[in-house]
Amino acid sequence: MCRSVDVRTAVLAKNDGLAAELRADLASRRVTAVNLLSSPGSGKTALLEIVLRRARERGVAVAALTADLATENDARRLARSGAPVRQVLTGGLCHLESAQVRGLLDGWLPPGTRLLFVENVGNLVCPASYDLGETLRVTLMSVTEGEDKPLKYPTAFGGAHLLVLTKTDLADAAGFDDAAFSTAVERVNPGVEILRTSARTGQGVDTLLDRILTVADGAAPHAPLLAADHLRNHGHHHGPAHDHAPAHDHGTAHDHGHASRATTA
């Protein structure tokens, strides 16, 4: 008698196990990992660059991993903050996995790092299913994307500990209905906090950093509506990550040249 095997569930279960190990390791090193999810063009990189800079101005040791399908543009931008940055090129893969993150951090994460930001691939479907060993999962969207985005992508928004609305300086021009957006969020993730930000004006940047530091200091994050087992059973899946995605170090702000090939994920 033949038994069918749910490969998708098995892959995600393995990922969850590795993520749990990574989370415990980071916790033992007093590192708070923040997984940033959004669609392309949400302004995630612009906002993160400012957050990294503000953190360094406060004396908080920060670092960032950033994933992209094909370019190192985001790492170069983030390196302008002065924070250590490492780029991973996924070669077309639409998400990161915990094994990749663990490999990228091995021998690279500077001692004493307090906050580690992981800028996931711009995609609200695939990355939502994968636990990366983060302490805090933050889902972002811009006012130009439509108020019903949370209803269209309930896994990404329902599994978030914190939601960030970006480009609020464009809200009037975009005709954004904030009340409708808040109602949509409440349907998929009741009680989650929404922070309204603008990388252009600086609105909400310090508040976002404060919220993250509060969690780093031991405060319990919001419990999202969708737990890990729900993400595993209902999330989208495109198969296991390739094990050859190249990673590149961009160091600090003065290192703007093309990075040499570093360890493989």
Side-chain angles (χ1 to χ4, degrees):
M1 179 179 179
C2 296
R3 292 191 304 170
S4 62
V5 177
D6 190 338
V7 176
R8 177 177 66 86
T9 299
V11 168
L12 289 174
K14 179 180 179 181
N15 178 83
D16 287 352
L18 293 174
E21 293 175 6
L22 177 58
R23 187 161 23 251
D25 177 57
L26 290 174
S28 71
R29 298 156 67 180
R30 302 183 64 83
V31 178
T32 297
V34 183
N35 183 7
L36 302 176
L37 277 67
S38 79
S39 58
S42 69
K44 179 167 75 269
T45 304
L47 184 64
L48 179 55
E49 180 184 346
I50 299 175
V51 169
L52 293 173
R53 185 178 297 117
R54 294 281 177 87
R56 295 188 71 250
E57 290 170 354
R58 295 194 195 183
V60 179
V62 291
L65 294 176
T66 181
D68 199 0
L69 300 180
T71 76
E72 298 178 40
N73 296 345
D74 290 349
R76 291 191 179 97
R77 292 171 62 189
L78 295 179
R80 296 183 305 203
S81 70
V85 176
R86 177 168 252 200
Q87 176 81 60
V88 54
L89 300 179
T90 67
L93 195 69
C94 62
H95 62 275
L96 286 175
E97 298 183 10
S98 56
Q100 288 175 296
V101 174
R102 183 175 64 178
L104 290 164
L105 296 179
D106 187 25
W108 172 77
L109 190 65
T113 297
R114 187 179 182 195
L115 300 181
L116 170 66
F117 290 90
V118 181
E119 185 183 18
N120 221 311
V121 180
N123 186 335
L124 282 176
V125 181
C126 311
S129 301
Y130 288 84
D131 184 352
L132 300 184
E134 69 264 22
T135 308
L136 197 65
R137 176 173 292 203
V138 180
T139 299
L140 306 89
M141 68 159 277
S142 72
V143 298
T144 61
E145 296 179 64
E147 301 86 355
D148 62 345
K149 199 85 168 188
L151 302 179
K152 292 183 176 181
Y153 298 92
T155 304
F157 286 86
H161 298 102
L162 180 66
L163 296 183
V164 175
L165 186 65
T166 64
K167 303 185 183 181
T168 54
D169 54 299
L170 300 177
D172 289 342
F176 183 73
D177 187 336
D178 193 274
F181 169 69
S182 297
T183 299
V185 168
E186 188 66 17
R187 285 183 58 184
V188 301
N189 199 344
V192 69
E193 183 177 12
I194 304 171
L195 295 184
R196 291 159 176 84
T197 67
S198 168
R200 179 175 294 177
T201 67
Q203 176 192 355
V205 174
D206 286 313
T207 301
L208 173 58
L209 181 55
D210 287 341
R211 293 292 187 277
I212 294 170
L213 287 172
T214 297
V215 173
D217 287 338
H222 163 76
L225 182 64
L226 299 186
D229 58 346
H230 184 99
L231 298 177
R232 180 166 60 248
N233 294 329
H234 298 278
H236 192 71
H237 177 63
H238 273 281
H242 301 299
D243 60 3
H244 57 269
H248 301 270
D249 293 328
H250 282 254
T252 55
H254 64 270
D255 183 10
H256 289 156
H258 184 77
S260 59
R261 186 179 297 269
T263 59
T264 56

